[in-house]
Structures are given as C-alpha cells and as structure tokens.
Amino acid sequence: MGKFSKILITLNLGLGLAVANENLRMADSCYAARAENAYGDKADAKNVKQMISAYKLAMEDSSVQEKATEGLVKSLYFSLRFVPFPKNKRMEHLDTLYRTAEAAYNKYPKNKEIAHIYATSLSMWGAEKGPLQSVKEGVAAKVRDVATAANDYQILGRAHQLLPYIPLILSWPDKKLADKFLTKALEQDPKDIYNYFFLAELRFDQKRYADALDLIDRGLARGVRTNNFLEDKRGRWHLKELQKKINAKLDKKL
C-alpha cells in the first residue's frame, strides 16, 4: 500500500470518528439541555427526538458505541417519563425502552447506567403486564440479578415493593427486603430526591406516618439540582402529594 493511500485511509478514519463524535456531542448537549423549553414538567418533544436520533447515529461508530448506547437508553427512559404522548401509546413506548435497554445491557453488562435503566424498565414492564406475564418473562429474577450485580439498591428496593407477589410460585418480592434496600439506597445517594420519596412511600404503607413525614421534609430540603431539573421537580411534586395524603389521614384521626 502506497504512502498516499495510507494517508487517505487515516483521513477517512479520522473523518468518520469526527462525525460520530459530533453526533455524540450533539446528543449529549441535547440531553444536558433536556429541561429547556419544558412546559411544566413536560419536556420539549422536538429536543428529545433530536437527541435520540443523534445517539442512534453516534452508535454506528464502534469507538463511541457504548457511550452512545448509554445515551440512547437514557433518552428513551427520559422520553417515557417526560414527553407527552397518548395514554394508549404508553405500553408501546415502555416495550421499546425495555427491549432496547435489554439489548444494551446484554452487550454492556458492566455499564451501571444501562443496568439501572434496564432493571427499572423491566420492573415497570412487569408491573404493567401483570403477575402472570411477569412470571412468564422471569421479571423478578432478572431484576434481582441485574440490580444485585450493579449494587443498585434503589431498584432492588422498588422491585421488592412493587412487583406482584404470587404465593407458592414466587418467594419474591419481600417487603422486609424492600425496607432494607430502600434504606441502603438513601444512604448510597442522599442527593437523589426519589430515594426519599420511595422510602417515605414505604413508611406510609407501613403506617409509620411520622417517619414518612420526616423523610419528606428531608427530601424537600435538598432543593432542585440544576442538571436534574425536571426529575427533581417531579420528585418534589411526588413528595408534596404524599405529604398531603399523610396529613389528610392524620387529620381524620383527630
């Protein structure tokens, strides 16, 4: 191979990498700005569509494929939560997220961001599909294995709290383990407002109202993180709604 040919190949490779990285930079910038032009807690669908497309393009280059795949999974999860779409399309969106996250996890099992969203979407999918389909798909075992491998206590706790329990067939989930793992999740990441909400919700179910209110106050005191504006805004709304629910129940007892 001549010197000129080698130079051309090098230039082409560099150009390909530059294009992939530009797609990744564009997608990452859209993700970082995901709260811009939001209406209430609803994200700008145009921005989300653009970042999903850019991540898909970036995935075509192997040098940035894992990062782009992680971004795509995060974007699909964000879209499911914050982009308005018809209610009858929710299951379709959730199924897309679950299948995409599953494929991404199978390829990059050590990526904790992908593992978190895969286990989350799997739990949501199982809860939506119901006990029989959940058992058929082995949802509980998959969530347990993925979350345990990633030391993701929030997902383990939520799965034990929400996944359907079928006597004699499943020994999982377990409310005591939900308590254990959600407590660990809060210790692991006290900046995540949802860790306060999930544990407060469990305390409410346990009728430990004072403990639940204390967790709510602690969560609300955290404020809103700039880089998680929509997520924390919605988390605060959940905390306040739970607070109202608890106070209403306590007022009835007086």
Side-chain angles (χ1 to χ4, degrees):
M1 184 182 292
K3 184 176 180 181
F4 183 69
S5 297
K6 289 181 180 179
I7 292 173
L8 278 178
I9 291 172
T10 301
L11 286 173
N12 285 332
L13 287 172
L15 180 61
L17 180 60
V19 170
N21 283 336
E22 182 57 36
N23 286 324
L24 185 60
R25 279 193 292 270
M26 180 184 292
D28 284 343
S29 66
C30 288
Y31 190 81
R34 61 194 182 280
E36 288 187 9
N37 300 321
Y39 181 75
D41 66 346
K42 300 299 183 184
D44 178 13
K46 184 178 178 181
N47 179 58
V48 175
K49 185 177 180 180
Q50 184 177 7
M51 71 182 170
I52 289 173
S53 296
Y55 278 129
K56 285 181 177 178
L57 287 172
M59 284 172 62
E60 295 176 7
D61 191 287
S62 60
S63 65
V64 295
Q65 194 173 68
E66 181 175 352
K67 184 65 178 173
T69 301
E70 176 189 318
L72 175 63
V73 170
K74 288 165 66 177
S75 296
L76 290 173
Y77 180 53
F78 178 80
S79 176
L80 180 72
R81 296 177 66 201
F82 293 102
V83 175
F85 49 83
K87 288 184 179 180
N88 63 349
K89 293 289 184 179
R90 174 177 169 76
M91 199 60 219
E92 180 182 326
H93 282 253
L94 178 55
D95 197 63
T96 298
L97 169 62
Y98 161 39
R99 301 301 177 186
T100 303
E102 183 175 53
Y105 177 75
N106 288 336
K107 190 166 187 177
Y108 304 109
K110 294 184 179 180
N111 186 305
K112 290 196 173 185
E113 289 283 349
I114 291 175
H116 177 81
I117 295 175
Y118 172 46
T120 300
S121 62
L122 185 55
S123 295
M124 294 167 64
W125 188 91
E128 289 278 350
K129 284 290 188 178
L132 294 179
Q133 189 67 24
S134 184
V135 170
K136 184 179 178 181
E137 289 276 332
V139 167
K142 288 181 183 178
V143 171
R144 178 194 62 213
D145 293 345
V146 173
T148 299
N151 290 320
D152 196 326
Y153 297 123
Q154 184 187 93
I155 297 303
L156 281 168
R158 286 295 281 171
H160 278 292
Q161 186 178 5
L162 296 179
L163 283 178
Y165 174 69
I166 304 177
L168 304 179
I169 298 178
L170 287 179
S171 59
W172 218 76
D174 183 313
K175 297 298 182 183
K176 290 182 179 178
L177 286 178
D179 195 320
K180 173 185 174 181
F181 289 127
L182 289 177
T183 299
K184 281 190 173 185
L186 181 55
E187 293 170 354
Q188 188 181 52
D189 187 3
K191 292 181 181 179
D192 187 341
I193 290 179
Y194 274 94
N195 281 331
Y196 295 91
F197 172 67
F198 293 148
L199 189 54
E201 194 176 47
L202 179 62
R203 294 285 177 264
F204 174 74
D205 291 341
Q206 295 169 331
K207 296 182 171 52
R208 296 169 58 180
Y209 303 129
D211 291 339
L213 289 171
D214 177 65
L215 283 162
I216 290 169
D217 288 340
R218 288 165 55 194
L220 291 174
R222 298 291 318 183
V224 174
R225 295 168 293 178
T226 304
N227 59 339
N228 290 88
F229 181 77
L230 285 179
E231 292 88 342
D232 285 358
K233 185 176 180 182
R234 183 171 289 182
R236 288 175 65 83
W237 179 83
H238 280 302
L239 284 170
K240 290 176 181 178
E241 288 299 301
L242 181 58
Q243 188 179 53
K244 290 177 186 176
K245 190 175 180 179
I246 295 170
N247 285 330
K249 186 170 283 290
L250 291 175
D251 288 343
K252 283 184 178 180
K253 289 185 174 183
L254 296 178

